[in-house]
Each structure stands twice: as C-alpha cells, then as structure tokens.
Amino acid sequence: MGSTLLEVRNLKKHFPSTAGWVKAVDGIDLKIEKGKSFGLVGESGCGKSTLIRVMLKLLEPTAGQIFFDGQEITGYSFKEMRALRKEMGMVFEDPHLALNPRMTVFDIISRPLKIHGLARKKGDLTVQVVELLQSMGLQTEHMIRFPHELSGGQKQRIGVARALAVEPQLIFLDEPTSALDVSVQTKILKLLEKARQERDLTFFFISHDINLIRVVADIMGVMYLGKIVEIGPKELLLDDPHHPYTRGLFSAVPEPDPDHSITEIQLTGEVPSPVNPPPGCNFNPRCPHADDRCRVEEPEFRELADGRRVACHLY
Ligand SMILES: Nc1ncnc2c1ncn2[C@@H]1O[C@H](COP(=O)(O)OP(=O)(O)OP(=O)(O)O)[C@@H](O)[C@H]1O
Ligand SMILES: [Mg+2]
C-alpha cells in the first residue's frame, strides 16, 4: 500500500436553489494514493466538477473533512491555501477559456513560476519555459504565440505545461480531452502519462467518458447522483463490476473486446434531481435488483475481500 496524498471523509456540497438544496456532492469518502492515477467516471451532472472544486477549496464544503498529505485542510483560509495550491494543479476541459487571450505562451507558463517564487534568473526562466514546452511536445517558437494562434490540442498542451510548471504533487484533470479529436486526445494522454512517471505525479481525472477513464486510470471510481457507488483497481471493476449502476454504465459502452462484454443491466429511466434524491439507496428507482430495504436504508460504502469498495445491499 502506498501512502495517501488526498483524503476526503463524508464530504458534502449543497447549493441553495429556488427548488431547495441541490445535493451536488452528498457524502463522499475517498483516498488517493501517492503516484497513482485515479479516474472518476459518472454521467453529466452527477457532481464530478463540484467535487474537484471542493477538494481544491475553491468552494467551501457544506460538511465533511479534507486532508492533504496527512494534514487536515478543511478549515484553511484562502491565504493558508495559497502555499498548498502549488502542490495541487488543475487542467480544465476547455483549453480556450482557460488561457488568457492577451498573454503569450511564455507569459502564461512563466506566470505561476513567478507567483510561487520558482522562476530562475532571466535567461534561465526562458530555459525553464522551453523545457516545459518540450515536455509537452511543443517547440521554442510556440513561446511567442498567443492562444488564438494555436490549435485546440496545442492549447491543451499549454494548459498542461502550465500545471506542470510549479511541480505540483497532484494534478486534477476535469475532462481534459473532451473538446479534442480522438487522435489529439491520444497524444496528449501519452504525454501526460510520461510526465506522471518522470515527475512522480498523482493524477485525479474526472470524465463522463468511460473509455477515457479506462485508458488513464490505475484506480477507478464510479459516481452517481452526488455519491461514489464503487471504487477499486481498474482491472477489477472492468472485469467484474459489482454495483448495478456500474454494470449498467459499463454495458452501455461499446466494448473493444467482443468476447468480454457485460450486457447484464440496461440503464432505464432518468437520473433523479439532486434536489430530491430518492430515499434509501438513491439508485433504487432505476435498479432491477431493488427491494424494500433499498427503498428505505442507505447502503454502507463497504470494503470487500478483493479490495474494492461498493455501496449496495447486494454485497
Ligand atoms: N454553483 C452552483 N449552484 C447551484 N447548483 C450547482 C452549482 N454548480 C453545480 N450545480 C449543480 O450541481 C450538480 C452537479 O454539477 P457538476 O457540474 O458538479 O456535475 P458534473 O458531474 O461535473 O457534470 P458534467 O459532466 O456535465 O460536467 C448539477 O445538478 C448542477 O446543476
Ligand atoms: Mg463537470
């Protein structure tokens, strides 16, 4: 077992709305091991981005605790978070919106170095930026360009280079390649994996795309309506998903290997509103195995003998 870099306990984020409280994140327990790539998959609106924002403390949690490298950071002020922000980078979905259109690539990448006091002397700063560009497969000449002069893939490489610049321990990636063509996606994912191994980084990916999570994750989590329903080593979940929602989600995706398809559960019905989640297990209205107990009693998030955790009364 490696050591835990980030942990959350019973984390919640509820937003006020005219209809009532939106329970976007509703009691999440999660541990991310150092050096691993954690991939969280879940349908649109299940609370993935909110979870990241709360873990980064860009949003205040409604309840629960957050620990980074063994230190509780739940109550940290904005100022106290500043030093820690260097350790936690972020890559966003839309590289175009994430980059300041009036800054050159050099300015974009060197800015966090300056802010965190990591910029070497003048000439050396250029070398630092060039090294970062090269690590993402870009060239020196890209330094003087503005974002609008770059392709979507190049912009996302800049977004990653900027996140790598301050040498964080952990990088959150929110749908990092959703806006890009498949061939460009593959290249960027390879560069990310190379950077992770060379720099001993920990990744936290979120996506609605199982195929992306399948490629990038060592450990996989499945989120449904503000909660995590199953977590475990990727192979374990892909070979033998347990939670009925995980089974439904995986069987809805074309399986690259035809001898190995999970066609057990078809997801029917709509995802209920996070304002009024169903009582008991919140998946019960869509679950073919639901019984009376599932309609009243919320299942515990239990660890099984094989090392996975699952929240379902069947296990
Ligand atoms: N600032 C906010 N105020 C009110 N409700 C919000 C706010 N941010 C998110 N929500 C709601 O919280 C729920 C979760 O949203 P979130 O963006 O975290 O989902 P997501 O899993 O990232 O979805 P997607 O895959 O579409 O990005 C949604 O119902 C959303 O409408
Ligand atoms: Mg999102």
Side-chain angles (χ1 to χ4, degrees):
M1 262 314 248
S3 57
T4 302
L5 186 58
L6 187 78
E7 179 176 357
V8 303
R9 293 187 200 154
N10 195 26
L11 195 68
K12 296 186 183 180
K13 181 66 193 178
H14 296 177
F15 296 108
S17 82
T18 48
W21 291 95
V22 181
K23 301 180 179 81
V25 169
D26 202 24
I28 286 193
D29 289 291
L30 191 64
K31 273 186 188 174
I32 298 162
E33 302 295 322
K34 256 182 204 164
K36 296 277 188 205
S37 177
F38 184 92
L40 183 64
V41 67
E43 288 166 284
S44 182
C46 73
K48 304 180 295 295
S49 299
T50 305
L51 175 63
I52 284 193
R53 280 186 220 124
V54 178
M55 290 195 296
L56 271 165
K57 294 228 347 136
L58 299 172
L59 289 171
E60 282 302 312
T62 306
Q65 292 174 290
I66 311 165
F67 299 84
F68 184 79
D69 216 3
Q71 206 174 2
E72 180 163 9
I73 63 166
T74 322
Y76 271 28
S77 65
F78 188 80
K79 211 173 142 195
E80 286 171 305
M81 278 306 290
R82 203 181 300 163
L84 221 63
R85 289 251 150 75
K86 184 196 136 340
E87 303 301 338
M88 296 193 265
M90 173 92 202
V91 176
F92 301 92
E93 173 174 2
D94 190 331
H96 189 66
L97 290 177
L99 304 178
N100 185 332
R102 282 181 293 275
M103 282 164 79
T104 63
V105 167
F106 176 83
D107 291 336
I108 289 169
I109 297 179
S110 61
R111 189 163 176 267
L113 289 166
K114 288 178 184 158
I115 289 174
H116 292 284
L118 297 167
R120 299 187 211 136
K121 280 188 252 91
K122 262 184 197 160
D124 287 357
L125 179 60
T126 311
V127 176
Q128 245 173 315
V129 172
V130 170
E131 280 169 3
L132 284 158
L133 286 174
Q134 284 171 347
S135 74
M136 285 314 288
L138 296 165
Q139 285 87 47
T140 312
E141 53 162 18
H142 288 113
M143 246 175 12
I144 53 167
R145 305 264 181 89
F146 286 92
H148 75 267
E149 299 173 295
L150 302 168
S151 70
Q154 288 170 333
K155 274 183 275 201
Q156 194 56 300
R157 288 166 195 238
I158 305 292
V160 175
R162 174 177 61 182
L164 293 174
V166 297
E167 295 177 14
Q169 294 189 58
L170 172 67
I171 299 186
F172 292 98
L173 301 113
D174 188 344
E175 306 274 6
T177 57
S178 299
L180 308 172
D181 293 347
V182 177
S183 64
V184 180
Q185 272 184 24
T186 310
K187 278 188 206 138
I188 293 187
L189 295 177
K190 280 195 179 138
L191 289 163
L192 276 166
E193 184 52 26
K194 189 162 160 273
R196 182 165 75 92
Q197 286 178 5
E198 285 172 3
R199 295 160 186 258
D200 202 17
L201 290 163
T202 306
F203 281 168
F204 187 99
F205 279 93
I206 56 171
S207 181
H208 63 273
D209 180 357
I210 295 167
N211 284 325
L212 173 84
I213 298 299
R214 196 202 295 269
V215 172
V216 299
D218 303 317
I219 310 290
M220 204 165 169
V222 179
M223 189 164 176
Y224 181 75
L225 204 57
K227 296 179 195 287
I228 292 185
V229 298
E230 187 164 1
I231 278 185
K234 171 174 68 176
E235 294 74 21
L236 210 58
L237 260 68
L238 290 173
D239 285 351
D240 184 18
H242 279 18
H243 196 286
Y245 177 67
T246 314
R247 281 165 21 207
L249 195 64
F250 289 5
S251 62
V253 175
E255 170 66 50
D257 175 2
D259 293 336
H260 178 248
S261 60
I262 306 148
T263 47
E264 208 183 331
I265 291 182
Q266 261 208 304
L267 286 178
T268 52
E270 292 290 306
V271 181
S273 155
V275 177
N276 281 309
C281 168
N282 66 14
F283 186 59
N284 86 72
R286 301 175 76 196
C287 182
H289 301 288
D291 60 18
D292 288 345
R293 185 183 180 197
C294 305
R295 286 181 266 277
V296 291
E297 188 188 323
E298 188 178 342
E300 232 181 278
F301 195 38
R302 201 176 289 116
E303 183 162 349
L304 306 188
D306 62 11
R308 86 178 76 206
R309 296 175 83 194
V310 62
C312 175
H313 290 307
L314 289 173
Y315 300 96

